Amino acid sequence: MNIRFYNAKILTMVEGENIVENGELQVKDGSITYVGSEQKADSTVKWDREIDVNGNLLMPGFKNAHTHSAMTFLRSHADDMKLQDWLTQAVFPYEAKLQNDDYYCCTQLAVLEYLTSGITSVCDMYLNNEVVSKAMSDSGMRCILCGTVNGGKENAASLREDFAKLNGSDPLIGFVLGVHAEYTCSRELLERVAELANELKQPFFAHCSETAREVEECKNRYGMSPIELFDSLGLFNSGGGIYHGIHVSDKDIEILKNRNVSVITNPSSNVKLASGIAPITRYMKEGINLGIGTDGPASNNCLDMFREMFLVTGLGKIRENDASAVDASEVLKMATIGSAKAIGFKDCEVLQAGKKADIIMIDMKSPNMQPVHNIVKNIVYSGSKSNVIMTMVNGKILYENGRFNIGASPEEIYEKVDAVCKRIFND
């Protein structure tokens, strides 16, 4: 479709560019073809839609760099527990009961929430990648899936299979190499994954340094931290990313910096599970790329990038005892450009001609967004999901004014997820 947006404020997120006032943005066949002054725009094109933005804001969609979408079936089921008890008692036993079709509708439910939060792409790390990727693609959602293998060395084969199957066949879908975590993998499995990563020259991702217990137990097993172990095995030779990165040493940070490894922070989950506060200021000073993820709906329980952004800056200030730490403008970059860089979402991180049309519209006329002294600060400090008017992915409007366009109605999805929950939890 060809869609023209006019009478818009536009936050391109391009370095050095200011907010465009009275601007116009044009989308053709999934890509942005023009961003700028309304007076200079090409008016000769036949448009499928011309949308009056009415002075509201267009900006790049948020990139959720770490989530477990199909865990929606566990939302508010596994709460107020210590992390290890949460995993072993309230998560793993019920995940074992999931059937193939369950992953599809539970992922669709997450997509609905992503769209209302202005999230246009996700890095999903869960089970049954084939079904999850189909749910994402059928919904029109941009998604990179991350390997989450665990256990023994024989499970490394599935990473190779998913890498070959899920890369290149669908422009909305990709796959990166990863494991669940050091503590759920044998050394032999990690060595096999390292061999694959180096053969394919691909980045590597994992839950890492999330809790103090995790780090200490790894040191007891191997005499080094999880980050040191991964590096010693060659897993970071082509870069990659770690999810959480809370309990890190100076040596860990040096490895992350030298190996070009991103840190994806997940503050809501870390607060709820009492895992700790990531050293965001230190990462920023060291020039380590930072992205933001919601984590899954079992540990969060909300897939809301506005809440994550506020917590990144708020917790950063508390950790440093400095109200000037972790500026909101840097946090907005983390949720868009930083997350895109961390996971490899190419050509959709800013609003610029030639980039993919992954765009959101923010209502600037709601009470919580007035007055407008600083749009960026408003988004991070006072913005909420209620301000998202529209979410577009790859040139297709998937959410607009409370209505969804993902191939299934919310009511249909809710009914299916409810049936999944009744079967699993009443068994």
Side-chain angles (χ1 to χ4, degrees):
M1 292 185 70
N2 295 338
I3 300 178
R4 172 187 176 235
F5 297 94
Y6 65 96
N7 189 22
K9 290 182 175 65
I10 305 175
L11 176 60
T12 67
M13 297 296 294
V14 175
E15 188 70 30
E17 288 191 3
N18 296 319
I19 292 172
V20 179
E21 300 283 351
N22 300 316
E24 177 157 334
L25 188 149
Q26 300 178 2
V27 174
K28 300 176 187 175
D29 300 323
S31 296
I32 298 169
T33 57
Y34 177 84
V35 182
S37 168
E38 194 173 322
Q39 290 79 3
K40 297 180 181 178
D42 181 4
S43 60
T44 64
V45 178
K46 182 179 179 180
W47 302 105
D48 296 294
R49 284 190 66 184
E50 295 187 68
I51 299 174
D52 184 350
V53 181
N54 196 29
N56 289 310
L57 180 74
L58 298 179
M59 64 171 287
F62 302 122
K63 281 72 182 171
N64 187 351
H66 178 60
T67 188
H68 313 284
S69 299
M71 288 184 85
T72 48
F73 83 103
L74 286 169
R75 191 199 309 271
S76 300
H77 165 76
D79 294 330
D80 305 315
M81 302 173 70
K82 295 182 184 297
L83 176 59
Q84 291 301 322
D85 293 339
W86 175 79
L87 280 170
T88 59
Q89 297 174 25
V91 175
F92 292 159
Y94 295 98
E95 286 180 332
K97 298 182 180 183
L98 285 169
Q99 300 173 3
N100 273 352
D101 290 346
D102 299 344
Y103 292 94
Y104 191 93
C105 64
C106 290
T107 297
Q108 283 184 309
L109 177 57
V111 169
L112 295 177
E113 191 172 2
Y114 295 140
L115 295 174
T116 63
S117 182
I119 293 169
T120 55
S121 51
V122 302
C123 181
D124 194 272
M125 188 187 203
Y126 203 46
L127 310 168
N128 206 325
N129 288 318
E130 187 170 0
V131 175
V132 171
S133 66
K134 179 170 173 52
M136 293 287 185
S137 180
D138 289 351
S139 300
M141 193 72 179
R142 195 180 302 280
C143 176
I144 289 178
L145 297 107
C146 180
T148 183
V149 296
N150 57 77
K153 61 183 179 181
E154 66 279 0
N155 294 324
S158 67
L159 274 183
R160 183 184 292 275
E161 293 169 4
D162 283 340
F163 185 85
K165 186 187 304 179
L166 296 173
N167 280 313
S169 60
D170 186 329
L172 290 175
I173 302 299
F175 182 84
V176 293
L177 304 180
V179 303
H180 176 262
E182 175 275 324
Y183 58 88
T184 56
C185 295
S186 69
R187 184 185 181 98
E188 292 76 17
L189 174 59
L190 294 174
E191 289 171 346
R192 289 286 182 88
V193 175
E195 290 173 4
L196 180 61
N198 285 297
E199 174 194 336
L200 299 175
K201 296 181 171 54
Q202 289 295 309
F204 166 81
F205 298 83
H207 294 107
C208 187
S209 303
E210 182 176 1
T211 67
R213 174 179 171 177
E214 170 200 339
V215 174
E216 287 308 307
E217 290 182 348
C218 183
K219 287 180 177 179
N220 290 337
R221 277 189 290 273
Y222 300 110
M224 60 186 83
S225 72
I227 291 172
E228 291 177 83
L229 175 65
F230 289 157
D231 187 52
S232 72
L233 296 175
L235 284 160
F236 290 141
N237 286 351
S238 296
I242 61 169
Y243 306 123
H244 303 294
I246 298 169
H247 300 275
V248 292
S249 66
D250 289 345
K251 186 171 183 180
D252 290 335
I253 290 174
E254 182 181 359
I255 290 170
L256 297 175
K257 181 178 180 179
N258 292 339
R259 292 297 191 185
N260 195 29
V261 176
S262 296
V263 175
I264 295 94
T265 186
N266 311 268
S268 290
S269 177
N270 297 155
V271 167
K272 182 167 176 279
L273 291 171
S275 300
I277 302 173
I280 299 299
T281 296
R282 177 71 187 280
Y283 289 140
M284 292 170 66
K285 287 180 179 177
E286 295 294 338
I288 292 170
N289 182 59
L290 286 158
I292 302 176
T294 60
D295 211 347
S299 65
N300 189 320
N301 301 9
C302 185
L303 305 174
D304 183 349
M305 191 57 72
F306 290 92
R307 185 166 74 171
E308 301 305 321
M309 289 191 295
F310 181 83
L311 285 174
V312 170
T313 179
L315 293 175
K317 296 175 192 304
I318 288 175
R319 181 183 170 100
E320 304 302 326
N321 193 28
D322 179 0
S324 69
V326 194
D327 190 281
S329 61
E330 294 302 316
V331 175
L332 191 61
K333 290 177 185 177
M334 294 176 202
T336 52
I337 298 168
S339 287
K341 180 179 179 182
I343 299 302
F345 291 117
K346 299 178 180 177
D347 299 329
C348 61
E349 77 283 14
V350 297
L351 302 187
Q352 191 176 49
K355 297 289 186 179
K356 296 298 182 184
D358 289 9
I359 304 165
I360 61 175
M361 187 188 304
I362 302 291
D363 182 1
M364 298 302 299
K365 297 178 180 178
S366 295
N368 66 314
M369 300 299 271
Q370 291 290 324
V372 186
H373 296 299
N374 186 307
I375 284 180
V376 169
K377 307 286 177 144
N378 271 14
I379 292 169
V380 174
Y381 288 129
S382 63
S384 76
K385 294 166 78 169
S386 67
N387 297 119
V388 178
I389 300 173
M390 181 213 76
T391 304
M392 168 186 278
V393 179
N394 206 42
K396 181 179 178 181
I397 296 175
L398 302 183
Y399 172 76
E400 187 176 14
N401 295 319
R403 299 179 66 86
F404 296 92
N405 180 28
I406 67 166
S409 70
E411 293 74 22
E412 179 184 355
I413 295 168
Y414 301 158
E415 183 178 350
K416 289 181 178 179
V417 173
D418 187 55
V420 170
C421 293
K422 286 179 179 176
R423 189 191 75 244
I424 289 176
F425 297 117
N426 294 336
D427 186 355

